[in-house]
């Protein structure tokens, strides 16, 4: 599997591996994730989550990545670019899920900016999206800090439930990149 080398001011990003089970479990079992996703992630759920990431890497070259602090190597969350079906259209979407103890420190915004830069510069994506549950106020704030614009809503089916999601879109600015890594 090809190595992805992405960095921001405080973070490095790498593919998630089965050996990352403990870090991924901590992230996915956080109070914030349980509230937004509507369930507790069992060991089997975490293993399936990690396998889904591997399939994303194979199919698209990128997916959620493990976001680690540059100074300590400690995982703060999962941030990445995913292929998502939003309103019947296949798009690049930025996703960010942090461990509870790292929320509110700017890591999600920093990582999402790095992913937007990668999408626009490397993947030549004409736009990127986020789909966010309306009650997920911290994620809504990140999308707005990135300069994303709310463009609609849809129902996303997850575990037999229809969950309302808001759609946010970001296009690169005319004449340049979204954000250089040095400015993160």
């Amino acid at each position: 599997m090809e190595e992805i080398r992405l960095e921001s001011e405080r973070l490095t990003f790498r593919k998630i591996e089965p050996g990352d089970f403990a870090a991924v479990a901590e992230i996915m079992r956080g109070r914030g994730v349980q509230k937004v996703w509507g369930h507790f992630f069992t060991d089997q759920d975490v293993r399936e989550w990690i396998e889904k990431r591997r399939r994303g890497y194979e199919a698209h070259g990128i997916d959620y990545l493990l976001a680690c602090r540059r100074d300590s190597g400690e995982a703060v969350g999962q941030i990445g670019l995913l292929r998502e079906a939003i309103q019947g259209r296949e798009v690049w979407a930025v996703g960010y899920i942090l461990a509870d103890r790292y929320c509110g420190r700017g890591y999600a915004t920093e990582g999402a900016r790095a992913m937007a830069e990668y999408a626009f510069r490397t993947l030549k994506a004409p736009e990127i999206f986020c789909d966010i549950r309306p009650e997920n106020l911290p994620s809504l704030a990140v999308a707005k800090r990135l300069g994303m614009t709310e463009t609609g809503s849809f129902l996303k089916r997850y575990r037999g439930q229809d969950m309302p999601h808001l759609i946010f879109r970001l296009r690169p600015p005319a004449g340049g990149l979204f954000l250089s890594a040095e400015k993160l």
Side-chain angles (χ1 to χ4, degrees):
M1 212 178 293
E2 184 182 321
E3 187 64 28
I4 293 176
R5 295 188 186 276
L6 292 171
E7 296 184 338
S8 62
E9 182 180 336
R10 299 177 294 164
L11 300 171
T12 61
F13 305 92
R14 66 168 177 79
K15 291 180 179 177
I16 297 167
E17 302 169 356
D20 295 317
F21 179 89
V24 173
E26 177 190 351
I27 295 161
M28 299 310 291
R29 290 176 178 162
R31 290 181 314 276
V33 170
Q34 288 183 51
K35 179 181 175 187
V36 172
W37 291 65
H39 70 94
F40 176 83
F41 276 75
T42 65
D43 284 357
Q44 184 60 31
D45 292 333
V46 173
R47 283 190 289 277
E48 289 171 4
W49 178 268
I50 292 170
E51 175 59 22
K52 185 174 182 180
R53 309 297 51 103
R54 189 191 65 72
R55 288 192 310 270
Y57 304 144
E58 287 178 1
H60 309 293
I62 194 166
D63 199 281
Y64 274 112
L65 302 171
L66 199 62
C68 301
R69 289 176 44 163
R70 287 177 71 172
D71 61 355
S72 68
E74 187 172 3
V76 303
Q78 300 171 81
I79 303 172
L81 289 166
L82 309 107
R83 292 301 285 175
E84 295 253 344
I86 297 180
Q87 293 184 318
R89 189 171 153 225
E90 190 83 6
V91 299
W92 283 110
V94 64
Y96 36 90
I97 307 170
L98 295 186
D100 284 347
R101 62 191 165 119
Y102 287 108
C103 290
R105 298 183 189 186
Y107 289 120
T109 303
E110 179 179 327
R113 281 186 179 138
M115 293 305 136
E117 177 78 9
Y118 181 82
F120 297 141
R121 179 189 294 180
T122 304
L123 301 177
K124 306 296 186 212
E127 58 192 2
I128 59 171
F129 292 83
C130 277
D131 57 314
I132 305 170
R133 303 268 321 264
E135 63 273 18
N136 189 346
L137 301 180
S139 286
L140 294 173
V142 169
K144 291 174 182 173
R145 279 193 294 276
L146 290 177
M148 298 185 102
T149 304
E150 187 177 335
T151 62
S153 63
F154 74 113
L155 291 176
K156 188 178 212 177
R157 191 114 178 116
Y158 179 71
R159 297 188 100 160
Q161 288 185 301
D162 287 332
M163 296 181 162
H165 280 69
L166 300 174
I167 303 167
F168 287 81
R169 180 178 63 202
L170 180 67
R171 292 185 173 145
L177 296 173
F178 170 64
L179 181 72
S180 69
E182 294 76 33
K183 294 182 182 175
L184 288 174

